[in-house]
Structure formats: C-alpha cells, structure tokens
Amino acid sequence: MANTAALTGINGLRDIRRSPAYHLTEALAAGSVPGKVVLNEGPFQTMAGVRVDPRSEAGSRIAAVTGGLPAHCGEVTGTDSISVLWLGPSEFMAVAPEAAHDSLGGNLIGSLMEALGDAPGQVVDLSANRTTFELSGPRARAVLEKGCALDLHPRSFTPGTALTTEVGNIPVVLQKTAENSFRLFPRASFAEFLGRWLLDAMREYASPEVP
Amino acid sequence: MLLISCPNCGPRDETEFHYGGQAHVPYPENPNALNDKEWAQFLFYRDNTKGIFAERWLHSTGCRQWFNMLRDTLTYDIQAIYPMGTPRPDVTVPAAAESGTASTAADSTTTGDSAPSISASSIAPAATPASATAPKGATK
Ligand SMILES: [Zn+2]
C-alpha cells in the first residue's frame, strides 16, 4: 500500500512541479520578438551528470547507452533522444526529454548507473539542477554576444556543438542546436536573473531598426 | 585581461580561471619529520619571482581542470602551458623580451617534478595536450 501511495505521489508531484523560470513565462512571451528573437523556457528535461574515464571499459559501456561520449571540448554526441555534452575530459552531461526520467517511465538514469557499475566514476541525476532556455531567431547571436566572451560567429561556433561559458556573468552550458537556435543551461537559482538579463538584451529588437 | 589557452578548451578569458599559486611545490616526503618551521615553510612560503614564474591555474568555469603555466610576472607574457604532473619546461627567453633584470635562474621550485598526485587531470586528457603556447600578442 505504501508503494502505491508513493507512485501516485510521484505522479501527483509532476502536476504541481514548477520550473525555475515558470514565473517568467508571460514575461518571456511578451519580450519575444517573433521573426527576430524568441525566448522561452524549455520543458523539464532529464539530465544526468556523468563522470567516467571515456577510455575505460565503463566509458565504453556508458557510450553504448548514450550513443557515444564526446572526445573534446565543444563536441556533442548522442542519439535522436539523448544529447551528451562535453563538460571536461572525464565529465559529461546527458540531456534527454522529460519522459526519459525513471520516475516517468523512462530509464535513462538507471541504465547509466547500470552501465557504470562498480567502476570509478559517477552517475548523478541532475534533472533539477539546471533549467533550459531556448533562444532562437536571426538576432539570437547578437543577444548572446552582449554578455558572452566566446566567439559565437558561425565559422567558429557551429550547430551541434556546446561550450561551457558565462552569459551575462552566469555560468551556463551554451548549446547551438541550429543555425539560429541556442539552448542555455543555467543552474536553477540563476534562472530568474538570466531570464531577465536575456529579456533586457532582447528589448532593443522590438523597436524599429535604426539604419 | 589575459587570454589563457586552456589545454582542453582553447583560448578563454582570464575571468573563467582561478589562480592556484606557485607550481611544483612538492609535498614533503615525510611530513612527520618536519619541525614547525619547516612545515610552515611548506605551507605558507612561496617565491615572489620577478620574471618567469611557474604557477597553477584552474579553468573553473570551463572544464574544471588544473594546469600549469609559465608566466612572466613582469610582462604578463604567457610562455608555456603544460599539464599537471609534468616537469617545468625549458623556456628560452627571446632576447627581445627584455628580461635582463628578471631572474630566470633555476630556483627551488624547479626541482620538484612531482605535482600532487590528486591532480584532477590524472584520469583525464584524452589527447595529451602538448605544451600549448598562448597566441602571440594574446596577453596584452
Ligand atoms: Zn578548460
């Protein structure tokens, strides 16, 4: 009986769960300028922090689950449903849709833990650690460039890569998903600040362009 | 602002890094054998080199890995970047560097080639980073 109660509890909790920038939903919609730059908070994603030596046997086992492990800074590997971002030579972040979480019928965390086994390293469920901002549009790069020191020009920052950096002084993982689409992964407690910072940086594009 | 070439991530702003003090300070082989003065020397006493200095840096907002750097404390010129646990590389100072007054003589810090074995990169770099040198003019 206790087990049944726990399961319904998980499902009940899902309904009342609020994302870190949930209270900004309307502001994000109001601050977006369709056709120029659009910002919204992504759905809850399943994220796992993985630390393993990629050259070890355990590394190969984990790579088999995630569709490879990135070998160097910027590289993103994975499958249709999982992205693995490079955080360090032996540190990775696996990102998957919400339904991949074990509490919602998926098995990403469990299968990663199983793949690691007793080998040195760790697999930690970090799904609540970061939230996802999705910034897209032809002006998205210009918005980011106001607060990011990296070279974001397409010749150097190409779609399908991700870099750990700072945007608006907030540490984020910045993933480029398409030519004009970015994902920012700030830690939850920075979501409000970064959300408002991005809105501020986007504001000028709501006005007519001054030639 | 220094532009520091992280061995893992490439050139990044200095603000992404943290300074870790003098490099190549070996942990005493037998700490119990030290008297208080010697222990204090190990803990607190560091060189204050004018010229090329070997120091540790952490790429704290990037790959979170430690590495060593040879930096000229006078000109901020980054001479070499090399992995933890490797000995200090020989850097021949170009004559134009005007390092006439800066002592580049080997000091006590150059003898210890044993970096702490707990270096974060001990299980890491897939591609062994060769001694990456900062791009010319990157340090101004
Ligand atoms: Zn780095």
Side-chain angles (χ1 to χ4, degrees), chain A residues 55 73 87 91 149 164 166, chain B residues 8 12-13 16 61 63-64 124:
Chain A
R55 295 163 300 181
C73 179
L87 298 186
E91 185 176 11
T164 308
E166 288 181 11
Chain B
N8 295 308
R12 299 290 183 95
D13 277 356
E16 294 194 4
T61 46
C63 57
R64 305 203 283 184

Side-chain angles (χ1 to χ4, degrees), chain A residues 62-190:
Chain A
I62 286 185
V65 173
T66 60
L69 289 173
H72 54 80
C73 179
E75 190 178 341
V76 178
T77 60
T79 61
D80 286 345
S81 55
I82 308 174
S83 301
V84 189
L85 281 56
W86 187 97
L87 298 186
S90 59
E91 185 176 11
F92 312 95
M93 182 166 83
V95 183
E98 182 182 10
H101 197 273
D102 303 45
S103 69
L104 295 168
N107 68 342
L108 178 67
I109 311 288
S111 56
L112 285 173
M113 284 181 170
E114 195 181 319
L116 180 66
D118 292 332
Q122 63 183 29
V123 172
V124 184
D125 180 4
L126 297 179
S127 301
N129 184 32
R130 296 171 188 268
T131 190
T132 309
F133 281 121
E134 289 170 338
L135 185 73
S136 59
R139 290 298 190 176
R141 172 159 72 97
V143 168
L144 293 173
E145 280 172 344
K146 294 180 185 188
C148 181
L150 289 181
D151 183 3
L152 300 181
H153 192 280
R155 77 176 157 241
S156 124
F157 192 35
T158 51
T161 58
L163 295 170
T164 308
T165 183
E166 288 181 11
V167 173
N169 294 326
I170 301 302
V172 298
V173 185
L174 178 64
Q175 182 181 11
K176 187 164 180 179
T177 48
E179 195 52 58
N180 287 319
S181 302
F182 300 87
R183 278 179 173 178
L184 296 88
F185 299 100
R187 293 206 169 81
S189 53
F190 294 122

Side-chain angles (χ1 to χ4, degrees), chain B residues 26-97:
Chain B
Y27 192 80
E29 277 197 10
N30 186 3
N32 290 328
L34 301 188
N35 61 32
D36 285 356
K37 188 180 175 189
E38 289 164 332
W39 182 244
Q41 290 274 357
F42 163 68
L43 284 184
F44 305 119
Y45 283 64
R46 295 293 181 265
D47 294 334
N48 187 18
T49 308
K50 183 181 182 184
I52 296 177
F53 189 50
E55 54 200 15
R56 301 180 299 178
W57 285 81
L58 169 68
H59 192 191
S60 38
T61 46
C63 57
R64 305 203 283 184
Q65 303 293 308
W66 287 92
F67 57 91
N68 289 328
M69 182 194 291
L70 285 184
R71 182 180 62 93
D72 193 315
T73 57
L74 208 59
T75 62
Y76 287 88
D77 200 25
I78 297 171
Q79 304 276 347
I81 287 173
Y82 55 103
M84 300 297 284
T86 56
R88 173 179 173 145
D90 281 329
V91 171
T92 46
V93 188

